[in-house]
């Protein structure tokens, strides 16, 4: 299937709007604020009028400040909007206007939300991971990208593996190392990416997490107890695997497994 630039461009623009919604989800869900309320400044709660609610541009025009109270608004807001546009455009570019695009884009959006909530609060809310896992499994029945059985196995294998690691850590060290949030997040990842993708996500996420973790310990000298948001690394790995899973596997196979 060929996809023209118009479709990819349109996807990018719509994705910017989805990105605005992702910002609302990231900010509100952990605080228990309704998503139905109109968006406003977190400090003065002035509602943002439609003319000022244009993704990215509004932030640039207002130079990152609230129009009424002058409170500075993090550069993360326009960046998440750009991410929303970029991920949808990439999905359309790779899979065209298909159910696979719906599935992959939704997966990536869930990963963005979980990654940033984990950074902010060190939690991965059940209200996102559990329904997400169910939706992923449901989509696998229509999405030729992943077999439903692989999705089912993926959820339980991904979640089960992390559950085992969490259990083993607790047994060995006598305290909790990894939260159940990570376990439920892998349930979601596996249901979207299948068991192959789930294993790859854990592998890549752990690898990147370890490298960053060691680097942060070296810089900050906070020691091994410094808790990194593991969900954030799983999320980044999940997005990478969603787009480039087979290529990563082929590269790994040709580099490490097929020699000699
Ligand atoms: Zn304000």
């Amino acid at each position: 299937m060929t996809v023209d630039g118009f479709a990819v461009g349109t996807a990018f623009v719509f994705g910017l709007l989805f990105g605005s919604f992702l910002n609302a989800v990231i900010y509100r869900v952990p605080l228990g604020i309704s998503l139905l309320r109109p968006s406003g400044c977190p400090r003065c709660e002035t509602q943002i009028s439609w003319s000022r609610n244009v993704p990215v541009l509004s932030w640039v025009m207002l130079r990152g400040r609230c129009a009424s109270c002058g409170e500075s608004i993090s550069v993360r807001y326009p960046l998440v909007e750009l991410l929303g546009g970029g991920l949808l455009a990439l999905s359309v570019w790779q899979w065209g206007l298909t159910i696979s695009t719906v599935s992959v884009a939704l997966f990536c959006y869930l990963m963005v939300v979980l990654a940033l909530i984990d950074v902010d609060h060190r939690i991965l809310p059940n209200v996102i991971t559990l329904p997400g896992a169910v939706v992923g499994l449901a989509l696998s029945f229509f999405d030729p990208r992943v077999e439903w059985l692989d999705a089912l196995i993926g959820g339980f294998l991904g979640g089960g593996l992390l559950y085992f690691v969490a259990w083993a850590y607790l047994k060995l060290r006598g305290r909790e190392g990894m939260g159940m949030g990570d376990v439920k997040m892998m349930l979601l990842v596996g249901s979207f990416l299948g068991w192959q993708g789930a294993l790859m996500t854990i592998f890549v996420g752990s690898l990147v997490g370890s490298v960053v973790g060691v680097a942060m310990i070296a810089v900050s000298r906070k020691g091994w107890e410094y808790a990194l948001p593991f969900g954030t690394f799983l999320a980044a790995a999940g997005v990478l695997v969603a787009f480039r899973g087979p290529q990563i596997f082929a590269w790994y196979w040709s580099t490490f497994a097929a020699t000699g």
Side-chain angles (χ1 to χ4, degrees):
M1 175 169 194
T2 54
V3 185
D4 55 16
F6 180 75
V8 174
T10 308
F12 182 77
V13 173
F14 273 99
L16 292 175
L17 298 171
F18 288 134
S20 293
F21 180 69
L22 298 184
N23 275 320
V25 174
I26 293 160
Y27 180 74
R28 294 180 191 190
V29 166
L31 302 179
I33 304 171
S34 168
L35 289 169
L36 299 175
R37 268 182 48 183
S39 58
C41 166
R43 182 172 149 204
C44 69
E45 294 192 343
T46 304
Q47 284 181 18
I48 297 167
S49 64
W50 271 107
S51 59
R52 281 179 178 157
N53 210 358
V54 183
V56 185
L57 282 182
S58 298
W59 189 89
V60 173
M61 305 276 262
L62 295 167
R63 294 188 189 86
R65 297 201 171 272
C66 167
S68 31
C69 72
E71 171 85 340
S72 89
I73 295 166
S74 168
V75 70
R76 209 174 82 178
Y77 283 85
L79 289 180
V80 167
E81 287 165 349
L82 286 172
L83 209 49
L87 289 168
L88 189 61
L90 263 181
S91 303
V92 169
W93 183 61
Q94 186 158 334
W95 282 286
L97 302 174
T98 63
I99 189 79
S100 295
T101 287
V102 175
S103 174
V104 170
L106 177 64
F107 173 73
C108 290
Y109 285 171
L110 287 165
M111 291 301 105
V112 170
V113 164
L114 289 173
L116 292 176
I117 290 179
D118 206 16
V119 165
D120 290 347
H121 305 277
R122 293 296 193 278
I123 54 163
L124 298 160
N126 286 344
V127 291
I128 293 170
T129 53
L130 296 181
V134 173
V135 170
L137 183 62
L139 278 168
S140 72
F141 285 90
F142 308 99
D143 184 358
R145 195 180 48 88
V146 56
E147 294 288 331
W148 70 266
L149 189 59
D150 288 347
L152 187 68
I153 296 171
F156 286 106
L157 186 69
L161 259 176
L162 287 206
Y163 184 83
F164 174 75
V165 172
W167 173 83
Y169 190 92
L170 189 64
K171 282 278 165 198
L172 292 171
R173 302 288 302 272
R175 55 188 178 75
E176 207 172 88
M178 186 169 21
M180 284 300 114
D182 296 304
V183 171
K184 290 169 214 160
M185 178 173 175
M186 280 312 300
L187 203 66
L188 185 167
V189 171
S191 79
F192 273 92
L193 302 184
W195 62 268
Q196 305 89 332
L199 291 180
M200 220 182 292
T201 300
I202 293 174
F203 177 74
V204 174
S206 306
L207 194 69
V208 177
S210 310
V211 170
V212 174
V214 168
M216 297 229 353
I217 287 160
V219 173
S220 72
R221 298 179 178 184
K222 275 189 177 175
W224 290 101
E225 311 307 316
Y226 188 77
L228 281 171
F230 187 44
T232 306
F233 295 106
L234 287 177
V239 169
L240 187 69
V241 170
F243 286 107
R244 282 289 173 266
Q247 288 87 340
I248 295 169
F249 186 76
W251 170 82
Y252 182 80
W253 190 254
S254 66
T255 308
F256 297 108
T259 49

